[in-house]
Amino acid sequence: MVVFAGQGDARRSMALLWRTTRSKETRPGPKPGLSVDLIVDTAVAIADEEGMAALSMRAVGERLGRTAMALYTYVPSKSELVDLMYDRALAELSTRHDLEAGWRAAVTSWAEETWEFYVRHPWVLQVSQARPVLGPNEYVMIEEAMRILRETGLEAGVLRHVAGTLFCFVRGAAQTVAESRQAPAVTGVSDEEWWYARSALLAEVAPDFCERFPTLTWLDGEGAYQSQDETVPYLEQEGRDTFTVGLAVLLDGIEATVTRAGV
């Protein structure tokens, strides 16, 4: 399920994200039992525990012991709530990675932390990047990545697209792990059961598999598909290994680009 951010009222959503207007809890009088922050934190907890499909204003209200209507004074609708949740979650990420050991070490630290963040909050991966939230923490995340990569000395246009490549890679690698964890609960079938049930039929439905797919057969013969840790589900281990190897290759490519640019 893809969720597009920025579907609520633009002015209200941006004001809530950047806290440019006085909300009800800051007005004179008795301190209310609700606040924007409490509502958003509760919504994040629901999404972490049950997934984005379980999120609704009613669900948040019930967890807080209130009706959905009681929330609308603070957050106009679920659309604005998604924006606020996404930006709030991003606040967990570090804002100052150490550059003392060089940009490569800092990028590695940034990528690993971001990968772990996505795996920890898999619902964030459902928020499409086609419509950015434009919240403060989203900009902090981007600023930090750009600050690190600026140390490469690459010109601005190239640096921007290098950052985009890294974002897409980290997000994609984390999505494999997140979805592999969700699949058994959603389908009722474990990874092992699913793979064994189908792979065992390949010899029957494709008896000429080796001739048709010689490179894949070679990879299998070389042990390329063997898991390094049998205690971890196969696709989760595959996602982690792909992230580790792929990140190293990307960083090698950035270094080669820096060298060619004569920076």
Side-chain angles (χ1 to χ4, degrees):
M1 179 180 72
V2 176
V3 177
F4 289 97
Q7 296 302 294
D9 179 78
R11 184 171 297 279
R12 180 63 170 146
S13 183
M14 293 296 283
L16 282 167
L17 282 165
W18 292 87
R19 298 295 198 271
T20 59
T21 58
R22 292 178 60 183
S23 56
K24 184 177 179 180
E25 66 268 24
T26 63
R27 295 171 188 167
K31 186 176 181 180
L34 289 177
S35 68
V36 173
D37 289 340
L38 178 60
I39 292 168
V40 173
D41 288 344
T42 303
V44 168
I46 291 172
D48 283 346
E49 296 166 16
E50 304 177 45
M52 189 67 90
L55 179 69
S56 67
M57 297 296 278
R58 180 178 179 180
V60 176
E62 287 178 350
R63 184 166 292 203
L64 290 170
R66 303 295 184 92
T67 65
M69 289 299 296
L71 309 184
Y72 293 137
T73 300
Y74 302 86
V75 180
S77 73
K78 180 180 174 181
S79 293
E80 287 87 358
L81 181 60
V82 169
D83 293 357
L84 292 166
M85 290 168 60
Y86 182 85
D87 201 66
R88 170 60 65 85
L90 289 176
E92 293 180 16
L93 295 170
S94 300
T95 59
R96 298 296 292 183
H97 291 81
D98 188 6
L99 287 167
E100 186 174 344
W103 66 263
R104 180 163 182 146
V107 170
T108 300
S109 174
W110 171 88
E112 289 177 345
E113 182 190 18
T114 305
W115 185 89
E116 290 169 357
F117 165 79
Y118 284 136
V119 172
R120 189 165 61 251
H121 300 292
W123 59 269
V124 171
L125 296 165
Q126 293 177 248
V127 181
S128 173
Q129 300 298 284
R131 299 285 175 85
V133 170
L134 304 183
N137 292 315
E138 185 174 47
Y139 276 110
V140 167
M141 177 193 190
I142 297 169
E143 169 71 19
E144 177 62 1
M146 296 300 186
R147 181 185 73 87
I148 296 169
L149 288 170
R150 189 175 181 181
E151 292 295 304
T152 64
L154 292 171
E155 63 99 359
V158 173
L159 185 148
R160 175 169 170 261
H161 293 299
V162 166
T165 300
L166 281 168
F167 272 110
C168 288
F169 167 73
V170 174
R171 185 181 173 94
Q175 191 146 18
T176 298
V177 174
E179 291 177 359
S180 73
R181 290 182 177 180
Q182 295 167 358
V186 173
T187 65
V189 179
S190 70
D191 283 349
E192 291 75 15
E193 292 171 327
W194 189 91
W195 280 104
Y196 288 141
R198 282 158 178 74
S199 62
L201 295 172
L202 278 175
E204 176 184 331
V205 299
D208 59 344
F209 185 92
C210 294
E211 290 74 29
R212 292 173 66 184
F213 308 104
T215 306
L216 298 181
T217 301
W218 170 76
L219 286 168
D220 185 46
E222 293 292 315
Y225 298 111
Q226 292 298 312
S227 177
Q228 300 300 311
D229 186 349
E230 298 293 340
T231 66
V232 179
Y234 179 77
L235 275 180
E236 183 166 339
Q237 182 67 50
E238 187 74 2
R240 178 74 218 196
D241 291 345
T242 297
F243 170 77
T244 301
V245 174
L247 179 61
V249 171
L250 274 175
L251 295 179
D252 286 346
I254 295 172
E255 284 193 340
T257 301
V258 171
T259 299
R260 285 198 303 271
V263 177

